[in-house]
Amino acid sequence: MIKLNDLKVLYAHLSSDKQMLGLKKEGNRYYYKVLELYDEWDSSVLLGNFSPKDHFFPHDETLFYFKEQKLIKPKEEIKPTVLWGVRPCDIAGILELERMFNQVGEEGEGGYKDPYFLKRFEETLIVGMACTEPWPGCFCTSVGGSPYKKDGADVFIYPFNDGYLVEAVSEKGKSALNGLAGEEVSNTVQLEKDREAAESKIKSYNFEGIADKLKQMVDSDFWDSVHNPCIGCGTCAYVCSSCHCFDINDASRGSRGLRSRQWDSCLYDVYTLEASGHNPRPSGAQRWRQRLNHKFNYFVQMFGMYQCLGCGRCGRACPVNINIAELAKKAVEWVEPGS
Amino acid sequence: MSSMTERIREEAKKILEEKKVDLVIGYGQGDNLMRIQPVFVDDIKDIDKLVWPSFGLINLTNYLLRYKTRNTRIGIVAKGCDTRSIVALLKENQIDRDRLFIIGVNCPGMLSRQVAREKVGEIISAENKGDGNWSFTTVEGEEEVSCFDLMPSNCLACRHHAPVVSDVVIGDPINEPDGDGYDEIREFEQKTSDERYQHLMSEMSACIRCYACRQACPTCNCDECFVDITQPRWVDKGLDETDLAIWQLIRTYHQAGRCVDCGACEEACPAGIKLLWLTRKMNLIVRERFGFEAGVDPEALPPLANYKKDDPEEFIL
C-alpha cells in the first residue's frame, strides 16, 4: 500500500487520461457527476442522495433510432472513466448489477450479457473508499458488507492517521497505479482497529434465515400489515444502487423514432399491468411482497447474496420513511396469527 | 410528549372504544424527529404509535382513497389543509362522510425537511431544542435554526389553519394573518417570460419521474394517470427536459380549482424540486378569476364543475 498525505496526488495521477466521476452537489442534492476539478468533489455526504448506478445503467438510455425500416445505432462514445471515492455498499451494488447483466452461460440457457451495461462497466475503474464515520440508517454489516470492504474495487483508499493508504485491489487497479509515487507501508495493524471502530458504529440486524422465512410467507397476513404507509412512488427503486428493473419504450413521430429503456419500479401499480387490463399485483401488499422477496429471498436463491446492500438511501429518500431493514427485521420476527 | 399528541391519542382511543370507527389513520414517528411514517391503528394497544409531528407535511387524506370501495369506518387526524382535501374529495364523490370521523387539528404550520436541507445542508441528525429552535448535525457541523425559518412556502402563506370540517377539534385556535399569502407568486409574475421559462426548465431538469409528487397528493387520484397511458402516448417516458416540464405543467393544470396547498408534493420530492410555485400560481389564477379556493366552502361548486354566463373568458378556460 502507498501512503499519501493528499488525495489530490492520486486524483491527478488517474485523471490524466480518464474522466472522473464523483459526488458533486447540484441544487441541494448530491449526485455522481463528472468532476472537472478535484475541488468539485464533495465527500462529506458519504453516499450522496443518488447512487452511481446511473453511470452503468442510465435512467433513460436510447438503444437505437429507427427511420422506416432502417435501424441506426446511437453514436455514443464510452469514455474511460474513474468512479472516484465510491463507498463499499455502492461497490457491492455495482457488483450486484454485474451479476444481473453479465450472467454466465449460453444465451437462452440462463446466460445473458447486457451489452449496454458491459461496455460501460469495462471502461470504468472503481476507486473505493472506506467509511470511517457511517451514517444513521447504514446497515451494511448486516447484509454481508463492511465500511472497509474492498471487494469489487480496483483501487481502494483507506483514511489512515493524517493521510491515506492506497491499495491496488485488482490487476486493473495495479496498472492504473503504475508510476504513482509515495511511501510504501506494510504495517497495517491500525487499519484493522479502524475497521472495527467503524463497524461498531453501524446498527446491526439479524437477517439469518430470512430467505427461507420469506418462502413460507407467500400468503401471510404480514404483507397487509406492512405496506400501508407506502404511497407507491418509485423513489426507493430510483435511489437504490442495485434495483435494476427497466421498461422498454418506443417514441415515434410518423415513421421515425427511437427505442429506449428507462428504470422502472415494482411499487408502481402499472408495473405488472397487463394489456388485457388484468393486474396480477393489484395492491401494495403484493407489490411489497415482491420487493422484499426480490431483495432478501429470490436473489439469495439465484446468486447467494442479498440484493440489498445496506446503504439505507431508500429509507432516507422515502416520503414516508419506510426503512427496508426494519421491514426485513419484522419479517424475520413475524409470527402468523393463529399459528 | 406534547399535549397535542396526548389529545390525539385520547380522541383516537375514544372513537375506537366506542366503536365509531374501525381504524384511525394518523402520524407516527419515523427513524428520527424529522421523519414521519403514517400509522393505521385498529387496536387500542397500538394507540401510542400516534404522534403530533413537527415535520408533518404528509396529507393523510391520500390514504382515504384506498377505502373507497370498502365499508371501513375511518378516523383521521387532519390539519387545516387536510380537511380542505376532505371537502374537495367529498365534492368529487371520492369519499363518504358517513364513514369518516375527522379529528381536526388547529395546525400552527409544519416544518419542512426540504427547507431545512436548503438552510443547513445535508442533515445527519436533528434535535428539538424546545425553545422554538432546532439543532441540526450536518456534514459541516452543528447549526441551530428557528422553527419559523423551517416552514415551507405553503405554511407561511396559509390562511386556513383551522379545520374546515371536523367531528372534534384539537389545539388552540390560531389567528389568521392578514393578506392572501400570494405575494411571493405575484413577485414571480413580474419576471420576464424568458426568466420564468428558465426557472421552470432548471427546476424540472432535476425530475427523476418517480411520481412521488403525484402519489403524495390526494387530488392526483385518477384511476389512470396520463403519463401511464401508452395508447395514445401523451408524454414520452424518458428524461427529455420537455417531457419533464410537460409532466409537471399538466399535473398542475389537472389541479385547477382542486389543489388545497398542503405542500405534500413538494415535501415528497426526492430531487428537491420546488413544485409549489406552479400549483400556487394556478391557485392564484382560480382565486382571482373565479373567486374560488379549493375545499374551503363545503357548499361551493368547483369552477370546473360549474358554468356561469359571466365566467371570465380572456384565456382558454
Side-chain angles (χ1 to χ4, degrees), chain A residues 172-208:
Chain A
K172 204 167 158 184
K174 263 180 209 156
S175 62
L177 291 191
N178 230 343
L180 179 75
E183 180 197 341
E184 276 287 335
V185 174
S186 54
N187 182 0
T188 54
V189 184
Q190 182 63 33
L191 278 187
E192 265 311 292
K193 285 185 191 154
D194 292 348
R195 178 182 63 78
E196 278 168 25
E199 283 182 358
S200 71
K201 291 176 195 164
I202 294 178
K203 189 168 179 188
S204 168
Y205 293 88
N206 184 1
F207 297 139
E208 212 184 307

Side-chain angles (χ1 to χ4, degrees), chain A residues 60 228-230 249 318 321, chain B residues 31 35 63 66 215 233 239 270:
Chain A
D60 179 17
N228 264 331
C230 176
N249 285 287
C318 174
N321 195 208
Chain B
D31 286 347
R35 299 311 316 263
Y63 295 103
R66 291 193 193 160
Q215 297 303 106
R233 173 85 85 208
L239 296 180

